[in-house]
Amino acid sequence: MSKQLALEERFQARIDAEQKIEPKDWMPEDYRRTLIRQISQHAHSEVIGMLPEGNWITRAPSLRRKVALLAKIQDEAGHGLYLYSAAETLGISRVELYNELHAGKAKYSSIFNYPSLTWADMGAIGWLVDGAAIMNQVALCKCSYGPYARAMVRICKEESFHQRQGFEILLVLSQGTEAQRDMCQDAINRWWWPSMMMFGPNDSDSPHSAQSMKWKIKRYSNDTLRQRYVDMIAEQIKILNMTLPDPDLKWNEARGHYDFGPIDWEEFNNVLRGNGPCNRERLETRVKAWENGAWVREAAMAFAEKRTRI
């Protein structure tokens, strides 16, 4: 047996025994690359995800709503920080990750390339988008890579607040005027299918899922998580007295799950290719913020160097 093969077998044995892999432990290069790809995409999604919500800070309908929205956006910035820090433990710098994002080489969740048109979108994003994120992320708390798993524990606690906040926004609108109820339903209609796409392609079309599950980076398949999400939302929407925009949605007694209609994967792939409603806008905004913040980074570095000399 070669030394490389022996190392890989011992590594997999640790994974199978539910032992956490730490930064200084030996790991296959493909495992490291897979983690960098997944963690960086997750971090980029948190940062880009602030943009559709930031659009409504100045237009929130009350001071309470504004403060809550600011708190949520601040949380998401923190999530990005935790995740970039976790990625750095794998030997890649934060600047490298930023450069890949700004150059359009790195991916982030396609859902953040959709516009936030009304205040109800803040509710739909919190309830549907963050709800889908939680469904994905709770399992990541048991990820085989220690720094990623530990970062996810706090992130999931804060995401739970975000989901409740979003649902409460929609609940208030659903009990309001006819115009408010229409706004609520419209937001649900627009965000439902993109939120379903957040779990990634069907298992048969997902090139990374099987290996990620073997390494226990992922714990459940895309289709399994998507089904759990549908089952959850299909019950919660009854409280809102609203509907999901899927004529095929119905309870299947034999399966013990809700059936749902086909997902438009062509739309998903088109957005991933950069052709979504806000792809260019999101990236341009992020690059502009990075460039405009250069003086802050330079000042912070100069201060740190001065303190070191003292």
Side-chain angles (χ1 to χ4, degrees), residues 48-57 59 69 111-125 186-187 190-191 277-278 281-282:
I48 298 293
M50 294 188 289
L51 299 180
E53 294 170 321
N55 187 42
W56 281 90
I57 291 174
R59 295 181 287 168
L69 184 59
I111 199 162
F112 298 119
N113 290 311
Y114 290 87
S116 51
L117 304 178
T118 70
W119 172 249
D121 287 32
M122 298 302 96
I125 290 172
D186 173 67
R190 286 184 288 104
W191 289 97
C278 299
E281 175 187 338
R282 297 287 185 248

Side-chain angles (χ1 to χ4, degrees), residues 24-88:
K24 293 184 178 180
D25 294 341
W26 183 90
M27 64 186 73
E29 183 59 24
D30 284 347
Y31 178 83
R32 188 184 78 88
R33 284 198 295 263
T34 297
L35 281 168
I36 290 174
R37 174 183 56 80
Q38 180 168 329
I39 297 173
S40 65
Q41 287 181 14
H42 193 167
H44 298 329
S45 298
E46 294 286 354
V47 171
I48 298 293
M50 294 188 289
L51 299 180
E53 294 170 321
N55 187 42
W56 281 90
I57 291 174
T58 59
R59 295 181 287 168
S62 68
L63 180 59
R64 172 177 172 266
R65 295 296 188 191
K66 180 178 290 191
V67 170
L69 184 59
L70 281 167
K72 180 185 179 186
I73 294 171
Q74 178 178 277
D75 285 347
E76 288 163 351
H79 298 173
L81 176 63
Y82 308 150
L83 293 164
Y84 284 129
S85 297
E88 285 180 307

Side-chain angles (χ1 to χ4, degrees), residues 35-170:
L35 281 168
I36 290 174
R37 174 183 56 80
Q38 180 168 329
I39 297 173
S40 65
Q41 287 181 14
H42 193 167
H44 298 329
S45 298
E46 294 286 354
V47 171
I48 298 293
M50 294 188 289
L51 299 180
E53 294 170 321
N55 187 42
W56 281 90
I57 291 174
T58 59
R59 295 181 287 168
S62 68
L63 180 59
R64 172 177 172 266
R65 295 296 188 191
K66 180 178 290 191
V67 170
L69 184 59
L70 281 167
K72 180 185 179 186
I73 294 171
Q74 178 178 277
D75 285 347
E76 288 163 351
H79 298 173
L81 176 63
Y82 308 150
L83 293 164
Y84 284 129
S85 297
E88 285 180 307
T89 67
L90 293 159
I92 187 168
S93 73
R94 197 171 306 186
V95 172
E96 288 179 87
L97 297 173
Y98 290 155
N99 288 340
E100 289 179 358
L101 173 64
H102 298 161
K105 296 178 180 178
K107 293 180 180 178
Y108 55 88
S109 181
S110 63
I111 199 162
F112 298 119
N113 290 311
Y114 290 87
S116 51
L117 304 178
T118 70
W119 172 249
D121 287 32
M122 298 302 96
I125 290 172
W127 178 44
L128 296 176
V129 176
D130 293 335
I134 292 169
M135 192 63 67
N136 264 319
Q137 293 170 7
V138 166
L140 291 173
C141 293
K142 295 184 179 180
C143 170
S144 61
Y145 188 59
Y148 193 21
R150 290 189 287 272
M152 292 313 307
V153 173
R154 178 166 178 174
I155 289 173
C156 285
K157 289 179 180 178
E158 293 175 349
E159 291 288 5
S160 295
F161 156 72
H162 301 167
Q163 187 187 27
R164 290 195 297 272
Q165 176 191 3
F167 187 81
E168 193 263 345
I169 289 172
L170 294 183

Side-chain angles (χ1 to χ4, degrees), residues 1-16:
M1 181 184 295
S2 68
K3 181 180 179 180
Q4 178 70 19
L5 183 58
L7 286 170
E8 290 179 359
E9 288 188 353
R10 285 200 293 271
F11 175 82
Q12 188 61 50
R14 290 188 62 191
I15 298 289
D16 296 340

